[in-house]
Amino acid sequence: MKSIYKIFTVTLILSVFASCSSDDDDGSTELMGENSVTLEFDNSVGSDDLLLATSSYTNSQNETLTITRLNYIVSNFSLTNDAGEVFTYDKDDSYFVTSEETGSTEVVLENIPAGTYVSVTFGIGVDQEKYLQGAEGQGDFLTVAEETNMMWSWQAGYKFLNFEGTFTSETVTEATDFKVHMGSHGSSLDNYKEVTLSLGTDALVSDEMSPIIHLVADANAILDGENKLSLTEQSVIMVSEEKSPKVALNTASMFSVDHVHNGSEHSH
């Protein structure tokens, strides 16, 4: 009888323990509701912070740049969770200008459903589908682009990238202006690009969790990425069938994820 009593007691304790463990697991892993996801774009040049007009940076072609403007359009955001499901942000609200000049380097995506997100995808520029909706179809973004020097004209289209400053080199000894403006010019020169970045650390979204994804944008890659573009050879790059696509590819490669901050809403 004593042996049977001991076995019964041990079995009961194990059952209670298993039940409690199961309850704890269910409560700790479930993410409910929705919240915002913030993307902070931290502009740099190589390993240095980007400081407009006050610092100089030398590229691999021994050209020394003083940067006075770095603006670019980011758009069409989507987030992929740990189950491979993609949440696509509302297209009408998915166009933003990040500007080092104005300090507008934060993108806030509202009403993201709860989940564990492992990657982010976004475009650089404005896609043809959006542009072909006409001026009326752009909503408030058209005004934002005009106010931040991201339009040539409505007919000529958006500037996806506005990168300006002065430079010197071995043969250009006096400070000379440079301008790199990249966009799409009709279907024959569509420079809109998309990039997908693994977050490294999962971004957790719930009623109580509003993550901040810190991205680094390396301006050095614009001219000194996979495609090497010399300002000494050409200091103004705008509508160029040869060089604009190379700028677009370089620009798409300048983004990386630095870290993810998971915390309550508005905490950094």
Side-chain angles (χ1 to χ4, degrees):
M1 287 294 292
K2 288 183 179 179
S3 297
I4 294 173
Y5 177 75
K6 286 180 180 178
I7 292 169
F8 175 77
T9 303
V10 170
T11 303
L12 180 62
I13 291 170
L14 289 174
S15 297
V16 170
F17 179 77
S19 176
C20 290
S21 298
S22 177
D23 290 344
D24 289 345
D25 289 345
D26 289 344
S28 64
T29 58
E30 194 169 11
L31 299 172
M32 302 290 290
E34 61 181 27
N35 216 322
S36 62
V37 172
T38 300
L39 297 103
E40 293 269 14
F41 288 84
D42 182 14
N43 297 312
S44 70
V45 183
S47 59
D48 299 319
D49 286 339
L50 171 58
L51 300 174
L52 293 181
T54 59
S55 292
S56 297
Y57 310 92
T58 302
N59 63 24
S60 67
Q61 299 177 82
N62 208 26
E63 297 172 331
T64 301
L65 284 64
T66 300
I67 299 163
T68 57
R69 173 175 289 162
L70 176 62
N71 297 351
Y72 45 88
I73 295 173
V74 286
S75 61
N76 294 319
F77 285 83
S78 64
L79 294 160
T80 302
N81 68 18
D82 56 352
E85 299 163 337
V86 178
F87 173 77
T88 301
Y89 199 62
D90 183 65
K91 188 173 179 63
D92 288 339
D93 297 324
S94 200
Y95 296 84
F96 306 87
V97 174
T98 68
S99 171
E100 187 69 23
E101 277 182 287
T102 65
S104 299
T105 57
E106 181 179 275
V107 169
V108 180
L109 307 179
E110 304 283 359
N111 304 316
I112 306 299
T116 301
Y117 293 97
V118 299
S119 69
V120 60
T121 298
F122 58 91
I124 300 121
V126 177
D127 54 289
Q128 286 285 310
E129 179 186 347
K130 182 68 171 178
Y131 180 69
L132 292 175
Q133 290 177 4
E136 297 78 13
Q138 309 305 302
D140 295 337
F141 183 70
L142 186 58
T143 301
V144 172
E146 289 172 339
E147 291 175 347
T148 51
N149 298 290
M150 300 305 283
M151 293 286 297
W152 278 290
S153 66
W154 174 245
Q155 289 74 23
Y158 291 100
K159 299 175 186 177
F160 299 173
L161 169 75
N162 188 332
F163 181 49
E164 298 181 355
T166 61
F167 80 100
T168 58
S169 68
E170 292 177 355
T171 56
V172 180
T173 55
E174 292 189 10
T176 300
D177 290 343
F178 74 84
K179 292 184 179 181
V180 180
H181 297 174
M182 184 267 293
S184 289
H185 311 283
S187 58
S188 62
L189 193 59
D190 184 5
N191 290 313
Y192 172 80
K193 301 295 179 189
E194 284 195 341
V195 58
T196 296
L197 301 173
S198 173
L199 299 183
T201 300
D202 296 344
L204 307 178
V205 179
S206 72
D207 279 336
E208 298 178 348
M209 300 284 282
S210 175
I212 302 168
I213 301 169
H214 292 263
L215 303 173
V216 173
D218 179 7
N220 188 61
I222 296 169
L223 296 170
D224 203 15
E226 180 180 349
N227 298 298
K228 305 295 182 184
L229 300 168
S230 168
L231 292 173
T232 304
E233 178 185 303
Q234 185 174 344
S235 61
V236 178
I237 302 173
M238 292 190 186
V239 185
S240 168
E241 290 191 12
E242 177 197 356
K243 293 191 175 180
S244 291
K246 293 179 179 179
V247 171
L249 288 171
N250 282 356
T251 301
S253 71
M254 75 178 184
F255 298 97
S256 61
V257 176
D258 186 69
H259 66 280
V260 175
H261 175 83
N262 284 304
S264 60
E265 193 169 6
H266 304 306
S267 66
H268 289 255

